[in-house]
Amino acid sequence: MQINYRKELEKIPVYVPGKPIDDVKRELGLSKVVKLASNENPLGFSPKARDAVNAILTEANLYPDGNATLLKNAIAGKFGIEPEMVLPTCGSDEMVDLIAKSFINCGDEVVMADITFPRYYITSQMMGAAIKIIPLKNLSYDIERFKKAITADTKIVWLCNPNNPTGTTFSEQELSDLLEMVPASTLVVYDEAYYEFASGEGYPKNSLAYLKKYKNMLVMRTLSKAYGLAGFRVGYTIGDPELLNVINRVRNPFNVTLLTQAAAIAAILDDEFLQKVVDNNDRGKEYIYKEFGRLGIEFAKTEANHIIFNAKKDSIQVFEALLRKGVIIRPIKGFSPETWLRVSIGTMEENRVFAEALEAVLAE
Ligand SMILES: Cc1ncc(COP(=O)(O)O)c(C=O)c1O
């Protein structure tokens, strides 16, 4: 190729998505495949969201409301905040990207954990940031080390609570201590993609309350997980309207589609469906803990909809052996040795199929 591209992209690999179920079926000649690889919702999504999409389908010749007014109002109403504090995006993936584009100058310092949601690294790298990496401690964020690493030069601190892929959390006390020491010129991006699943003691369920005091904090959430709208692509961020307005300068004006806005409004108001999802997840994780216990497998207790475990065998080999049995999960990079994998919590039947397949693979 004769065309030079930006040198910041040299270190960025092309994202390799998990294999679609149909490809795995065809390639391995399997009739049934269970996918527990992407922390998707095993119960689907709210039937009210489906009805809302059906009702508006014939209007999809029109552009969506670029301000997503009704969706902002629904989210604001649910959490008792002003609609101006809400910004919906095409998944929170898009928001990670928009934040990086809006705030990172080449050479700016950003701070993040070593094993966490990879988009923080990729987008920061894309903008040419100087990235400070903080190793996990006992599979969790080491907030003391974060505090030591943050300086007046830090532009962004990327935090994920519960963390993907570990499912572990840090406490309200740790969050509040960190927010207190961060300079007002440092943006704290606080990603709560798995917020709805988290109920453990000390977890900061009231994170939005911190936004009143800390104008340099953005709370990111998604409807891809507990609400099951991953394929629609919708997330939202809550924070200071001035910060959100900077992001609005780089946002594609029609970033959340007409159908998605309708689905999201209905989904976010359906508390009954959400409760079913959380209950299924709670039951599923207890079952998987029990199976890991029976098989003598080390794992991290989770506050999310996924669990990491140490197979004590090469993670790629375990992943491939499970694939041959029709179970797709995800090997996790960054551990040494590379023997850890992440499984999403599914329906009880899917969890059972996973546990049986894993037992067979580990006995091979
Ligand atoms: C921690 C975290 N943040 C953000 C996302 C992006 O979610 P989406 O773009 O589907 O809203 C994910 C998806 O897996 C995630 O795990």
Side-chain angles (χ1 to χ4, degrees):
M1 188 172 77
Q2 307 267 322
I3 300 171
N4 285 332
Y5 55 88
R6 290 178 49 228
K7 69 173 176 18
E8 288 80 13
L9 304 189
E10 276 166 14
K11 286 193 200 149
I12 300 179
V14 175
Y15 179 72
V16 183
K19 277 196 179 203
I21 290 178
D22 284 344
D23 287 11
V24 174
K25 277 186 184 166
R26 203 176 42 252
E27 284 169 24
L28 298 172
L30 297 165
S31 58
K32 194 158 182 290
V33 166
V34 167
K35 183 173 176 233
L36 298 172
S38 304
N39 308 335
E40 290 150 336
N41 194 323
L43 302 189
F45 57 84
S46 162
K48 293 182 179 156
R50 185 197 52 217
D51 294 346
V53 169
N54 284 336
I56 205 167
L57 197 54
T58 54
E59 289 177 35
N61 58 316
L62 304 174
Y63 282 104
D65 170 11
N67 186 49
T69 307
L70 297 180
L71 177 54
K72 282 184 186 174
N73 290 347
I75 295 167
K78 182 166 171 133
F79 299 115
I81 53 175
E82 294 303 314
E84 296 71 38
M85 293 185 71
V86 182
L87 184 55
T89 47
C90 177
S92 35
D93 264 352
E94 186 195 20
M95 183 48 95
V96 174
D97 201 51
L98 293 177
I99 289 170
K101 284 181 187 157
S102 302
F103 297 104
I104 301 177
N105 287 303
C106 197
D108 277 355
E109 178 186 290
V110 305
V111 180
M112 68 183 73
D114 63 342
I115 300 178
T116 191
F117 185 52
R119 297 302 304 174
Y120 314 145
Y121 183 86
I122 293 165
T123 53
S124 301
Q125 176 70 37
M126 185 171 80
M127 299 310 297
I131 303 175
K132 267 193 194 169
I133 299 281
I134 312 298
L136 296 184
K137 185 177 173 189
N138 301 329
L139 301 174
S140 297
Y141 269 45
D142 185 347
I143 295 297
E144 283 309 312
R145 275 187 78 171
F146 265 81
K147 281 164 41 189
K148 286 191 188 119
I150 295 164
T151 69
D153 290 332
T154 306
K155 186 50 130 349
I156 296 185
V157 184
W158 297 98
L159 301 173
C160 189
N161 197 22
N163 187 35
N164 178 12
T166 56
T168 52
T169 55
F170 53 90
S171 69
E172 168 143 24
Q173 188 65 52
E174 289 175 300
L175 174 64
S176 107
D177 290 351
L178 183 134
L179 287 167
E180 195 52 38
M181 64 71 59
V182 169
S185 55
T186 300
L187 176 62
V188 178
V189 181
Y190 185 66
D191 185 348
E192 290 185 328
Y194 302 94
Y195 170 83
E196 295 82 4
F197 298 108
S199 59
E201 214 185 310
Y203 179 74
K205 237 9 206 186
N206 67 339
S207 52
L208 299 184
Y210 288 92
L211 295 171
K212 281 199 193 80
K213 184 166 176 198
Y214 301 105
K215 304 288 178 206
N216 57 337
M217 176 188 192
L218 289 175
V219 175
M220 267 189 342
R221 294 191 185 157
T222 178
L223 279 82
S224 295
K225 309 299 174 182
Y227 294 96
L229 297 183
F232 281 92
R233 312 301 302 124
V234 56
Y236 60 94
T237 295
I238 303 181
D240 182 38
E242 269 190 61
L243 274 181
L244 298 183
N245 256 336
V246 173
I247 295 168
N248 266 329
R249 296 176 189 218
V250 288
R251 178 176 69 86
N252 175 333
F254 303 115
N255 60 332
V256 183
T257 73
L258 184 99
L259 302 181
T260 296
Q261 290 187 32
I265 292 166
I268 200 121
L269 298 176
D270 191 347
D271 289 334
E272 198 185 322
F273 178 78
L274 182 64
Q275 193 56 48
K276 264 191 215 157
V277 171
V278 172
D279 290 347
N280 176 71
N281 197 67
D282 286 345
R283 277 195 304 273
K285 81 176 168 189
E286 288 308 324
Y287 170 79
I288 295 174
Y289 290 169
K290 227 171 60 219
E291 288 299 289
F292 282 159
R294 184 174 70 77
L295 300 171
I297 292 173
E298 180 188 6
F299 64 96
K301 282 208 162 185
T302 185
E303 289 293 325
N305 66 346
H306 49 84
I307 310 181
I308 53 161
F309 64 96
N310 184 357
K312 299 243 168 78
K313 284 183 169 184
D314 180 76
S315 58
I316 303 287
Q317 280 173 15
V318 173
F319 162 75
E320 283 171 354
L322 282 170
L323 204 59
R324 287 192 290 275
K325 294 191 182 302
V327 178
I328 318 176
I329 65 165
R330 185 168 289 241
I332 298 301
K333 288 208 183 90
F335 287 103
S336 173
E338 300 242 322
T339 54
W340 288 79
L341 297 101
R342 186 193 70 194
V343 62
S344 307
I345 297 164
T347 60
M348 273 317 223
E349 172 62 10
E350 288 170 330
N351 299 333
R352 199 182 50 71
V353 170
F354 159 69
E356 274 176 15
L358 182 66
E359 181 170 17
V361 163
L362 295 182
E364 273 170 10

